[in-house]
Amino acid sequence: MVHVYNCHPFASQRVVSAEQEPGLVCCGGGALFVVCAGGCRIEAYDVRRDECPLICRFSSAGVVRAIRHSGAGDYLVTIEEKNRATYLRAYTNWRYQAVEKTRVGVRLLGHFLSGSSLRGVPKEQMEIIEIPLFEPPLCMACCPLTGDLLVGCAKSLVVFSLKRQTLSEQLSILDFERVQILHIQGWSPSQVAFCAGYVALQSELEVLVIKITQQQNTPATGDHALLPDDIMTDTSLDEDAEMKKDGFSPLYEQDDFFMFPKHQEMLGSEAQDCGISFLLEWTGTETERPGDLSVDYVLYRRFAPDFFQGCSIEETHLHSLQLHPMFNSAEEDSIISKQCEPSCMFVFFSLPNTGYVYSLKDSVELVSTYQYPEKSHQAVLSDQFLYVITRNALQCFTVRCSAVAARVHDPYIDTTMKACPPVTMEVCALRIQLFIGLKTLCHDENHIVLLTAADVDNREDTERSARKNTSRKTSVCKSTESTDSGHGWNLYVITSVSTLQLYSEIVEYSKRYEQSSPLSQSCIHLLSEAHLLLRSALITQQDYESGERAQLQQAFQQSCAHLGDCFSRLEKDCHLALPYYKMSGLSVTEVIQRNAAKNSFSSEYGNGFLFYLKHSLYEETVEELSEDMANKVLEIFSAAEPAQLPHVVSSPSMVRVDPDGAMIHLKQLEVSGTSSITLSLCMASLALRKGDLHSYRLQMDRHAEMLQVYGFIEEPRLLLHGRGKAMMPTVLARHLRGAHEGLLVAAVVALHENSKIKLEEADLFLQELCKDAVEVQSCPQLLQDFWEALLVASSQESIIQELLFRLVSVYIDRITRKDHSGARPLKTAEDLINSCSHYGMLYPWVSILTPIPFNITHDQQDLHKLQSLLCGPTLEVSSICPLLEQLSDHDNTGLSVHVLCDTKLGQHERSLDKLLDRCPRAIIPYANHELQNEKLCLWWQKLFPELCRRMKKTGHDSTILFALKETLVVLGAELNPLEFLDLLPDEGTAHFFLPHLFECSQRNLLM
């Protein structure tokens, strides 16, 4: 059952002073078009001005049977009848008739006036464009975005594109070009709708929606047709269509009875099985052909007569087919360019007792179903309302279009950030306004046009019957018939109230339900309707002034606050209080005050308010509560959820809370038996804020260090506040910085590994913590300790490589600057080698280059760690090559690092040259360790010849001589005698090499 309220969406009602009884009416572009009885004269009235003055009147070429107005192009299109023939005509520049311009041009589509009529000053005149068709037109529709025209015939749909033809520099006129023909098999439409490529067709009991889609361009062909040559030539193809048009199918034809098809609904691609086929033909120019065109089936709905709805079979038929687009504000400027596709598309159609709204974009789904109190005659869907006329009432229903559009425009809807009333929320009737003998309804902007026609003799009986059959919540129209209403008809223009005025009325209306029952569903329903009303006004591209849009935005935030208040007190959907309060722009303090005022006589708060307050305190908000408000929050949670007190006290919003009062609440929690590590850490933090070091130590000594790390994981805000680039250490973190750095580093590592903070956030936090330290120019030692500890714990490859690069950079920087700061690292090189697989044991030859002293200094620790990383298995040396430029190899410290890097990169020959030049005593340990396997040949290919050359050059260098002897030992073990003999120098002393040659020969004989 539809809720019926007694709001006032209509502001004023005017009577149009038409001289003759209207036959047909339509409106658009701020004008009302009246086809006078007889159908040969059209009058246009200005509905935007008071009294609706006449704009112009002109005669039609025939008797008008149907009329439509297109906002794009501002033209009229009619189906006319003359001499038993049916014509389709378009009337352009009709406004020129308002200034007594009697010139009227009549021409065929695509044919322009020429000759003397175009010479000189351009002639401003109305034009009647004759649009030829192969079949008589049955119905037509105009695209509201492009002005293109769709004409429905018995066997086809014809699409005409609206074009502006430039005839001269001073003159351009509107014209149409036939661009597409959709041949229909098995169906004949009685009504059509057209918008942004979507085509909706309607018969008596069936609705079909298709979309003409454009694919990639393909090479042009000589034939325009996209269908076989023999299409539509066999009349047997249309026999079923003709029989179906008459109301039956040959499959169900019987002698004595008639079978109705059953109800059926097909959504999306399933609709292609509806039995209605289309063949698409392109008739426009090849240069403007958009590419391959295809017909996509979107929706098919078939109804069967329902004898329980109070309608006869003859009365049961569909009416008011309509396609309704919605845009967001960003798309407004693109509409004129014909390039913009609406973000939402809806289709509406109605039976006498039920209306249906479907959403067509993305997924096709039923949005709303409307149950009318009595049989409807016509309906019109707008952004904010559905207007329905019955015999004696104008009904105004709410719609859910803005709820669908909001979820399309904003991905944060239905999250903790933003909310919107659900699409599935029941619709309601805001107003049922009584009239007498309603016949026609049309809508334009904020104007509704009604045509009434009643039998004068039976008017009293009609009014009595209407009052009897209408709900008690309906109201009689205040403006009665005009004094000259004896003719029995009237033409009304009803103006809608402004969005802000109607919003205010609905909010006041909801307060009646709130006073009787604060948790009334009707109250929430009305507030949700008011919210959607404002949301629709903000989403659509209406021409609001900046001040009015600001008022709408302010009212929207106010509606969010009202909905937040409602959901804060509810059990069901209480989580919605959070996003609505966020959208309201209210501060946490203001929300607390609103809820405290509503609970002034009770200490209990709603679940929704507690949910909001909890999340607001847990999030990193910038708002700091005052001392009084923070103490109020403690009282709220102490009564409602005492277990949350440690987390509440740790919130950055509670920094001004009274430490003594907070400690009392926490001790009461501890006494109740709820003891935890987080509670102890929270009490320790409060003790530090009070300056009570004794109580601090007592609380910290209650748990082991590892358990305290778990406590920080459970509540990270004990250490840090903020997110992103604003990371602020707490009092407890600053105390741990000087008293217990190991616990601090372990806690930060645990927070990172448990995804509580990111690596960049941890860096900012530690840098902020060390901002006042002595080490200003270099990386803080605490940050280096964190990186080393995280390298031990992390298993993410990307994090590991990032940490390795950072640590190598720090090590090289400190070695270069010979940093002798007093900060001691938490872990020595030996500790890291023993605990971390990324640090390797130093190679023997490295210790020769840089011996490790007993009392190692800090910069020597950094060198040892760097060498250990280079000796480890993980570091990608190629990534740190640019860092080596700042480290000189003139001393053994730099030499060891450069040789390690060259060796890791496979440049062993370069390493041998460096060691021979700078530290020959390390050459044999280096060769023994590095020249193995595939590098073994370097002993005789590189090392032996180089040693011989240097020996000859230097004379009797004991270091070189020792290295040469050791090299000969290796050569004697690895080579055969002939190979060994070939390597011996011609100028060498025989007795020096003979013992090694003899050893080589002996070993070869034993093998």
Side-chain angles (χ1 to χ4, degrees), residues 20-25 34-39 41 64 67 439-440 451:
Q20 296 182 1
E21 179 179 358
L24 298 173
V25 296
V34 179
V35 179
C36 300
R41 189 174 67 172
V64 179
I67 183 170
K439 299 298 182 182
T440 304
L451 173 62

Side-chain angles (χ1 to χ4, degrees), residues 319-320 350-354 371-380 386-397 431-441 450-453 462 465-466 469-471 474:
H319 63 79
S320 304
S350 180
L351 288 169
N353 293 95
T354 310
Q371 298 292 335
Y372 308 136
E374 52 184 326
K375 189 181 75 171
S376 63
H377 291 169
Q378 195 176 353
V380 175
L386 173 70
Y387 301 103
V388 181
I389 59 170
T390 63
R391 180 185 177 189
N392 295 308
L394 168 64
Q395 303 172 3
C396 177
F397 293 90
R431 184 78 172 178
I432 298 181
Q433 188 89 29
L434 289 183
F435 284 86
I436 299 174
L438 286 171
K439 299 298 182 182
T440 304
L441 162 71
L450 298 175
L451 173 62
T452 66
T462 302
S465 175
N469 296 327
T470 307
S471 169
T474 63

Side-chain angles (χ1 to χ4, degrees), residues 459-644:
R459 183 176 302 170
E460 293 182 0
D461 295 338
T462 302
E463 292 179 353
R464 189 181 304 111
S465 175
R467 292 191 184 97
K468 179 179 179 181
N469 296 327
T470 307
S471 169
R472 62 181 179 87
K473 291 190 178 181
T474 63
S475 61
V476 179
C477 178
K478 292 182 180 179
S479 298
T480 59
E481 310 294 338
S482 60
T483 57
D484 59 342
S485 61
H487 46 62
W489 58 266
N490 268 301
L491 192 59
Y492 297 101
V493 174
I494 299 176
T495 304
S496 302
V497 300
S498 67
T499 301
L500 289 172
Q501 182 178 343
L502 182 57
Y503 162 75
S504 300
E505 182 187 357
I506 294 176
V507 172
E508 290 298 322
Y509 200 110
S510 68
K511 292 180 180 179
R512 305 179 189 176
Y513 294 96
E514 185 180 12
Q515 292 173 357
S516 60
S517 175
L519 303 180
S520 170
Q521 287 297 323
S522 295
C523 176
I524 298 177
H525 194 179
L526 280 169
L527 289 176
S528 299
E529 296 290 3
H531 179 88
L532 290 176
L533 190 69
L534 294 170
R535 189 181 281 277
S536 175
L538 291 171
I539 288 177
T540 54
Q541 67 282 359
Q542 301 185 29
D543 297 329
Y544 291 118
E545 297 180 356
S546 58
E548 187 176 0
R549 180 165 288 275
Q551 291 178 355
L552 283 171
Q553 187 62 43
Q554 184 179 1
F556 179 78
Q557 292 181 333
Q558 184 188 69
S559 75
C560 293
H562 289 318
L563 286 171
D565 292 340
C566 289
F567 287 108
S568 68
R569 301 189 295 269
L570 290 179
E571 294 290 335
K572 182 182 179 182
D573 297 328
C574 61
H575 64 282
L576 293 176
L578 174 62
Y580 278 121
Y581 274 141
K582 283 185 175 181
M583 295 163 61
S584 70
L586 295 174
S587 65
V588 178
T589 299
E590 290 171 330
V591 173
I592 294 174
Q593 291 173 343
R594 290 171 71 99
N595 282 268
K598 294 180 181 296
N599 292 273
S600 57
F601 301 102
S602 174
S603 59
E604 295 183 1
Y605 289 86
N607 290 340
F609 169 68
L610 294 174
F611 183 81
Y612 161 79
L613 189 56
K614 189 189 307 179
H615 278 74
S616 299
L617 294 176
Y618 288 176
E619 293 176 356
E620 300 299 334
T621 59
V622 295
E623 180 184 0
E624 292 184 4
L625 299 178
S626 64
E627 182 177 352
D628 293 339
M629 198 55 60
N631 293 335
K632 179 67 175 179
V633 170
L634 279 182
E635 294 176 3
I636 293 173
F637 278 96
S638 181
E641 295 186 42
Q644 298 296 323

Side-chain angles (χ1 to χ4, degrees), residues 64 249 252 264 296 365 377 423 535 545 657 668 851 914 931 946:
V64 179
S249 170
Y252 301 108
Q264 193 170 17
D296 293 340
E365 58 183 349
H377 291 169
V423 176
R535 189 181 281 277
E545 297 180 356
V657 71
Q668 291 175 351
K914 288 182 178 181
L931 304 185
E946 188 65 27

Side-chain angles (χ1 to χ4, degrees), residues 201-213:
L201 303 92
Q202 174 183 294
S203 65
E204 286 194 354
L205 292 173
E206 293 175 282
V207 171
L208 175 64
V209 181
I210 61 175
K211 185 179 183 183
I212 304 174
T213 58

Side-chain angles (χ1 to χ4, degrees), residues 645-660:
L645 281 174
H647 305 285
V648 171
V649 173
S650 303
S651 171
S653 301
M654 301 286 287
V655 293
R656 298 181 183 177
V657 71
D658 179 21
D660 294 322

